[in-house]
Each structure stands twice: as C-alpha cells, then as structure tokens.
C-alpha cells in the first residue's frame, strides 16, 4: 500500500510539473514583437525530452554552449593527414550534432559561437604540421589556415545541416583585454603572438563575409563590455570593421551581477554601440545574485531598457536555461530554477505591452 501511495505521489508531482510548465507563459511569445529570446544549450541537455519541451516553449534562438568552439570542431588527426599544413579540417562532433539536429528539426535559428578566440582553441592550430610541438607558423601561413578554417566551418555546417538557419555568428570573441586597455596582448592570445596587431580580426571578418551563408549576421562579441574603457575598445574596432563593410553587429555578453554594473551604466554602453549604426545582440545574459528580489527587479529594469531599444536588438540570449545548468555554479543567475520560473521571470514578463495582468498571475 505504501508503495502504491509513493508511486501515486511521484506521478502527481511529475504530472503537475508538466502541467505547470505549459501554464507558464512563453518568453519567446511574450517578446515576439521586440526580439528573439535565446538560450545556450549543451549536447548533454538537449537530448533530454523535458529540456527539449521547455526550450521549444520559451526560446526561438539557440547558441551551442561549447560545441561549435574551435577545440570542439577542429580535427587534429585529419588536419595532419589531409591538411597540407594549411587546411584545418572541421568536423561536427556528436554533441554539436544533437544540438544542430534539434534546431534543424524544430526550425530554431542558431547563433554560431565562435571562430576566433584565445580560449578553447587548440595550440596545434598555430604550429607547423598541426603538431603539438615545434615552431609556430608564420603570419602568411596562419592567414591561409584562418581562411580555410572559416570556409570549412561554414561548409561543414551547410553540408551536415542543409536546412539549418544560421542567423548570426560570433566571428571574434573576447579579443580585448579583460577590462579595457586595447587588444588582448601577446602571451594571452596565440592570434596576437602570431599577428602582433588586429590583422587577424580584420581577416577573420573578411573571410566570414566571404563564406557565411546569406542572412548570417557577423558579430564581434565581448565581456565587460559595459566598462567604459572596454566599451571604447570594442567601439573603435567595430567602427573600423563597419567602414570596411564586413561586420553587422556587436555582441554584449552581459555577464552581470545584481550589484554591478548598474542598469544605467549598461544602458550607456548599449546606446553607444547602437549609435555606431550596427546591430546589437545580447549574447550571454546572466546575473549573479543572492537576493532574488533584487535580481528580479534588476532583470525587469534591464529588459525595459532592451525593449526600449528593440529596433536595433534582433535577439537577447540567456547563457543557460535553468540555474542548475549554468556555468556560474551557485550564483542563481537565470530566470528559472529546476526549469520552474523564479521571481525574476515574472518580473521580466511585466515588461512589454502583452497581457500584463494575465502574466503577473
Ligand atoms: C563557457 C561555458 O559556458 C562553459 O561550459 C565552459 O567551460 C567555458 O565557457 N564567455 C563566452 C562563453 O564567450 O563561450 C563562455 O562559455 C562563457 C564566457
């Protein structure tokens, strides 16, 4: 008898949580007239049926969290065998496959992340023979590798997922020093070690423009983007690339806290980026917090700023679905916990003109 009661209870809880989820108004529908609402997702999460259901309900943009990074898609053995020292071979791994298949089958457009980055990029990409040892290659050889890497990435995605919509791509990620002060210096970035200036950024954008599918917007993406010195660094480079016609937008990673930066300071950076004439996407939003009411209010205020500027913001992406899955462990950074809405979710849903009362519950 005890056994049956326990079973009944489990079914009740599971059943209810499903019902609850469908009762929760959809983020993507609520903000549909303003911008897409995105999330990053891992290959591990996307194979889970409940997660799929949740993601389909709330999001209309997906960024693979790690699965399209250079260390995930570059194949060293194949590059050594077939690369002729200049052609890095790209493969879509199993985890990326799960994500892109889900996006393709469900018609969810993808933000690609990322091509040129100092991190999560294998050292062998920069060495003679694609080996783990020996000399680094010259700038000329690296240029050919860079072009082939970008060409192969877009070609491989197209070949494996012909129906996938790749609507934006982070061509360069975090090329500036942490909190301002110009380009990430030698010693911190192999790209900088080899090039010594921003030529690798310019070339990456030129190649991306040449090989990216039509409609895929090309982005420069960075963090601490709301710190004035860093804002200026990003602006200067972005305007330079814009004058060459090879960039479409600036990605604001937006890893923030409930205490810092202020929404006002964030807005200042956003406005300056928009004034360049480029688009802006919020690419990796999360907010560390201990006081969840403070967090909720700040999320609301931030969304009000984003909605006010929606004409130049095609998408707003959270860096994760639910707190337990976030890269920020124990920081309560997202709108959901255990896939259930937090106070922050309900506050965000008061922004915009849709059915305010209904959404407030
Ligand atoms: C993070 C992932 O979320 C983690 O799983 C991984 O261990 C490290 O990278 N800026 C970025 C993202 O551009 O790629 C990072 O993602 C978070 C910071």
């Amino acid at each position: 008898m005890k056994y049956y009661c326990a079973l009944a209870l489990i079914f009740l809880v599971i059943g209810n949580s499903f019902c609850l989820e469908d009762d929760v108004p959809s983020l993507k529908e609520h903000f549909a007239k303003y911008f897409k609402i995105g999330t990053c997702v891992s290959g591990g999460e996307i194979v889970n049926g409940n997660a799929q259901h949740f993601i389909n309900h709330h999001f209309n943009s997906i960024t693979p969290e790690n699965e399209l990074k250079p260390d995930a898609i570059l194949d060293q053995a194949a590059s050594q065998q077939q690369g002729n020292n200049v052609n890095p071979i790209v493969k879509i791994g199993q985890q990326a496959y799960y994500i892109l298949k889900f996006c393709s089958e469900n018609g969810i457009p993808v933000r690609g992340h990322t091509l040129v980055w100092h991190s999560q990029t294998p050292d062998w990409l920069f060495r003679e023979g694609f080996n783990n040892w020996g000399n680094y290659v010259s700038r000329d050889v690296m240029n050919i590798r860079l072009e082939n890497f970008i060409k192969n990435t877009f070609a491989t995605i197209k070949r494996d997922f012909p129906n996938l919509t790749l609507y934006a791509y982070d061509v360069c990620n975090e090329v500036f020093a942490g909190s301002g002060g110009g380009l990430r210096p030698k010693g911190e970035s192999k790209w900088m070690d080899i090039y010594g200036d921003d030529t690798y950024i310019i070339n990456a954008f030129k190649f991306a423009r040449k090989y990216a599918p039509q409609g895929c917007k090309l982005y420069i993406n960075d963090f601490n983007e709301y710190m004035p010195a860093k804002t200026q660094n990003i602006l200067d480079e972005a305007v330079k690339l814009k004058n060459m016609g090879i960039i479409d937008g600036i990605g604001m990673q937006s890893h923030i806290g409930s205490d810092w930066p202020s929404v006002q300071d964030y807005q200042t950076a956003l406005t300056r980026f928009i004034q360049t004439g480029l688009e802006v996407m919020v690419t990796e939003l999360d907010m560390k917090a201990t006081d969840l009411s403070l967090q909720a209010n700040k999320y609301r205020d931030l969304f009000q700023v984003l909605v006010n500027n929606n004409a130049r913001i095609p998408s707003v992406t959270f860096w994760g679905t639910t707190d337990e899955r976030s890269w920020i462990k124990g920081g309560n950074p997202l709108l959901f916990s255990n896939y259930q809405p937090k106070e922050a979710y309900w506050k965000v849903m008061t922004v915009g003109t849709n059915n305010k009362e209904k959404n407030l519950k």
Side-chain angles (χ1 to χ4, degrees), residues 53-72:
H53 185 79
F54 173 86
I55 288 166
N56 258 326
H57 183 60
H58 285 294
F59 301 101
N60 48 8
S61 168
I62 282 184
T63 307
E65 183 173 12
N66 289 297
E67 294 75 359
L68 288 181
K69 290 174 179 173
D71 64 355

Side-chain angles (χ1 to χ4, degrees), residues 181-196:
L183 289 179
R184 191 174 289 279
K186 287 187 181 183
E188 278 188 25
S189 163
K190 294 273 153 47
W191 293 105
M192 200 59 173
D193 288 345
I194 289 183
Y195 282 85

Side-chain angles (χ1 to χ4, degrees), residues 65-66 69 113 117 120 173-174 221 253 255 284 319 327:
E65 183 173 12
N66 289 297
K69 290 174 179 173
H113 177 77
W117 195 17
Q120 293 184 261
N173 193 36
E174 304 182 349
N221 193 46
Q253 285 192 9
H255 297 294
E284 306 182 11
W319 205 242
W327 72 307

Side-chain angles (χ1 to χ4, degrees), residues 34-263:
Y34 303 113
F35 29 64
K36 290 187 178 62
I37 298 287
T39 182
C40 80
V41 72
S42 69
E45 181 176 23
I46 203 66
V47 292
N48 177 291
N50 291 343
Q52 290 184 358
H53 185 79
F54 173 86
I55 288 166
N56 258 326
H57 183 60
H58 285 294
F59 301 101
N60 48 8
S61 168
I62 282 184
T63 307
E65 183 173 12
N66 289 297
E67 294 75 359
L68 288 181
K69 290 174 179 173
D71 64 355
I73 59 173
L74 281 164
D75 184 328
Q76 183 176 21
S79 302
Q80 286 171 332
Q81 284 156 23
Q82 315 152 36
N84 197 24
N85 204 37
V86 289
N87 190 23
I89 305 294
V90 167
K91 292 217 169 105
I92 299 296
Q94 189 65 53
Q95 302 301 309
Y97 174 83
Y98 291 139
I99 299 172
L100 299 184
K101 182 165 176 281
F102 175 79
C103 295
S104 195
E105 287 176 357
N106 290 279
I108 303 178
V110 168
R111 282 198 95 255
H113 177 77
T114 176
L115 295 166
V116 166
W117 195 17
H118 67 285
S119 180
Q120 293 184 261
T121 300
D123 178 68
W124 58 259
L125 177 64
F126 304 93
R127 290 189 195 256
E128 288 293 347
F130 300 115
N131 289 322
N132 294 330
W133 58 87
N135 292 335
Y136 288 105
V137 298
S138 67
R139 187 171 154 137
D140 286 348
V141 170
M142 205 60 222
N143 256 331
I144 310 175
R145 288 185 178 189
L146 179 59
E147 175 161 10
N148 284 327
F149 169 48
I150 291 175
K151 179 182 176 184
N152 292 344
T153 300
F154 286 120
T156 306
I157 295 173
K158 183 79 198 160
R159 184 197 65 203
D160 293 356
F161 297 94
N163 298 323
L164 187 78
T165 302
L166 214 46
Y167 81 98
Y169 223 102
D170 292 329
V171 177
C172 289
N173 193 36
E174 304 182 349
V175 292
F176 301 104
S179 40
L183 289 179
R184 191 174 289 279
K186 287 187 181 183
E188 278 188 25
S189 163
K190 294 273 153 47
W191 293 105
M192 200 59 173
D193 288 345
I194 289 183
Y195 282 85
D197 59 25
D198 69 347
T199 314
Y200 72 95
I201 302 173
I202 295 168
N203 288 353
F205 274 93
K206 279 186 186 159
F207 298 142
R209 194 53 114 211
K210 192 165 163 191
Y211 298 109
Q214 205 157 28
C216 178
K217 299 296 177 76
L218 305 180
Y219 271 70
I220 190 163
N221 193 46
D222 220 312
F223 68 105
N224 283 349
E225 70 283 357
Y226 36 76
M227 295 175 73
K230 187 90 173 246
T231 307
Q232 192 61 49
N233 288 162
I234 300 169
L235 270 175
D236 291 344
E237 193 69 34
V239 167
K240 188 171 171 181
L241 295 163
K242 179 173 183 274
N243 291 337
M244 298 179 180
I246 50 182
I247 190 174
D248 299 299
I250 297 171
M252 297 180 74
Q253 285 192 9
S254 311
H255 297 294
I256 61 176
S258 59
D259 52 345
W260 184 85
S262 68
V263 172

